[in-house]
Amino acid sequence: MAKKIVVIPGDGIGEEITNSAVAVMKRVAERFSLDLEYEYKDAGGTAYDKFGVPLPEDTLNACKSADGILFGAVGGDKWDNVEPALRPEKAILGLRKGLGLYANLRPVKVADSLTEYSPLKPELVKGVDLVIVRELVGGIYFGEKCESEQHNGAERAWDLENYSVPEVQRIARLAFETAKLRRGVVTSVDKANVLATSRLWRRTVAQVAKEYPEVELKNLYVDNTAMQLAVRPAQFDVILTGNLFGDILSDEAAVIGGSIGMMPSASIGELTSLYEPIHGSAPDIAGKGIANPVGTILSAAMLFRYSLKEEQAAVAIEQAVDKALNQGWRTADLWHEGLKKADTDTMTQAVIDCI
Ligand code: IPM
Ligand code: MN
């Protein structure tokens, strides 16, 4: 039976980059005789314009029965003044919550051909191979909030951060399992010197660590982690952290590789999982056909690995991306004199030709 892939292009460059990734998936499916079917659904500002909501019921329902979901990007200045509950970002937050996508994996591995793009010195970047495991359906993102109220004669707003023991246990186990298959070190990141949620986080992670004697656990405060990522990023194997800290640290970690356009992610749930590049919808270049499709193509590789359990297909995509880069192909965000300039379609074809 065919496996169902739901494709959600979203806004801005979303359509171009998901088209690229689907073209690569089709090539890989052909090469490994996999039977995949694709169902396209709306979300984000595009869905808001069509249906008045960023996440139509029909999109969420299709995702519930998907074997894997490929997501482009949402958002754009066009919807900046839409009321908070209907903003395009609510589409991805709603999918995470509605599908129980509790774990976000953001690997950062810097290809040798790309060390020159890093804002850090090449000798610091060499050998960086880490993965951020970010809790994705809890914490301050989903706590109670108040947009505006009067308090002691002044207007104020607030967002509540809370974490329960089972929520922390679930994400911690996934981080330890991930570390077992890698170099065996989990760095749990929190702000336990100030926050109660962080203190619960730290003692829960310490309990879970006892189930994994083969994995080493380190604890680091989030401010120190931000600094360590800039001064010695190669020290990290698995970084385990909550929703808000994970959001911030993963942008920082992503840029170590030089371009956020290259970075994939997987959002893992118990029933289905969603794959998306970590960059945004880049409205300034949307429709021009020049966006870097690599982050989305590598996200498709993660879909083959984690949702379809097709490791060979995943590796084939990752190796093809490396090869195309080694052949000198670069989209405009990474191009300089001496390299081959590719638009979105050319870059995609270069990857396909290497599969
Ligand atoms: C991300 C994004 C989202 C987040 C936004 C679009 C809601 O920044 O996936 O990292 O904050 O989680
Ligand atoms: Mn983010």
Side-chain angles (χ1 to χ4, degrees):
M1 235 184 56
K3 298 270 171 122
K4 181 173 103 171
I5 310 299
V6 169
V7 183
I8 303 177
D11 308 323
I13 58 170
E15 186 176 330
E16 296 149 71
I17 56 178
T18 48
N19 280 344
S20 292
V22 169
V24 171
M25 290 175 80
K26 287 185 172 161
R27 169 70 193 116
V28 136
E30 176 192 306
R31 156 106 194 263
F32 293 94
S33 305
L34 307 172
D35 194 6
L36 305 183
E37 61 181 37
Y38 303 86
E39 205 177 307
Y40 283 78
K41 294 291 171 189
D42 290 302
T46 318
Y48 173 80
D49 289 346
K50 278 196 204 168
F51 310 108
V53 287
L55 180 59
E57 198 73 5
D58 170 59
T59 300
L60 184 59
N61 285 336
C63 289
K64 284 183 178 158
S65 60
D67 291 294
I69 304 153
L70 183 73
F71 189 91
V74 289
D77 337 332
K78 184 176 169 202
W79 301 284
D80 270 355
N81 295 320
V82 169
E83 71 172 277
L86 297 176
R87 285 183 65 93
E89 290 78 5
K90 282 284 171 186
I92 185 66
L93 296 174
L95 282 167
R96 289 172 183 169
K97 199 66 176 176
L99 300 170
L101 308 176
Y102 69 94
N104 188 214
L105 306 183
R106 295 188 165 178
V108 178
K109 196 170 172 176
V110 187
D112 285 346
S113 54
L114 296 180
T115 48
E116 62 167 308
Y117 296 97
S118 180
L120 300 182
K121 298 188 190 86
E123 66 268 25
L124 291 181
V125 181
K126 220 172 133 39
V128 168
D129 178 4
L130 62 87
V131 53
I132 296 185
V133 177
R134 166 188 175 194
E135 198 290 326
L136 205 55
V137 290
I140 198 166
Y141 268 58
F142 292 97
E144 227 185 290
K145 60 177 84 244
C146 169
E147 297 288 337
S148 169
E149 70 176 14
Q150 287 298 318
H151 181 77
N152 292 340
E155 185 188 9
R156 74 171 185 182
W158 47 264
D159 302 270
L160 201 78
E161 157 108 343
N162 61 67
Y163 267 118
S164 69
V165 167
E167 279 177 306
V168 180
Q169 283 171 333
R170 178 169 70 166
I171 190 73
R173 290 205 174 97
L174 194 123
F176 282 94
E177 292 292 342
T178 305
K180 249 168 72 174
L181 302 174
R182 297 171 46 96
R183 300 194 303 280
V185 185
V186 169
T187 304
S188 175
V189 173
D190 61 38
K191 187 72 187 168
N193 49 349
V194 178
L195 302 176
T197 39
S198 282
R199 287 188 281 272
L200 177 132
W201 180 281
R202 195 176 274 221
R203 61 175 188 269
T204 306
V205 172
Q207 280 298 326
V208 171
K210 292 183 185 156
E211 300 164 23
Y212 299 89
E214 67 277 51
V215 177
E216 184 189 353
L217 170 64
K218 297 179 177 174
N219 292 290
L220 222 52
Y221 296 137
V222 62
D223 47 354
N224 189 11
T225 309
M227 183 175 72
Q228 293 297 326
L229 275 170
V231 296
R232 212 161 58 83
Q235 70 183 282
F236 294 109
D237 180 18
V238 174
I239 293 178
L240 161 65
T241 191
N243 208 343
L244 181 62
F245 298 158
D247 178 49
I248 298 165
L249 293 177
S250 60
D251 272 30
E252 186 190 358
V255 87
I256 291 170
S259 170
I260 201 167
M262 312 290 288
M263 297 296 157
S265 82
S267 300
I268 307 286
E270 263 143 26
L271 299 173
T272 191
S273 299
L274 178 148
Y275 302 83
E276 58 168 326
I278 88 156
H279 60 71
S281 61
D284 52 323
I285 57 163
K288 295 189 178 160
I290 58 169
N292 186 347
V294 171
T296 318
I297 292 172
L298 291 173
S299 300
M302 294 183 88
L303 189 156
F304 279 101
R305 171 168 299 123
Y306 295 111
S307 283
L308 305 180
K309 313 282 179 221
E310 295 287 348
E311 178 65 20
Q312 279 189 320
V315 171
I317 295 176
E318 288 161 354
Q319 287 179 346
V321 166
D322 270 348
K323 245 183 168 170
L325 291 170
N326 286 331
Q327 288 167 356
W329 291 109
R330 299 285 189 281
T331 41
D333 51 328
L334 297 176
W335 181 84
H336 61 69
E337 212 53 62
L339 292 166
K340 297 190 252 187
K341 196 168 196 168
D343 58 15
T344 309
D345 285 347
T346 311
M347 191 71 206
T348 307
Q349 195 54 48
V351 173
I352 290 174
D353 289 343
C354 293
I355 295 177

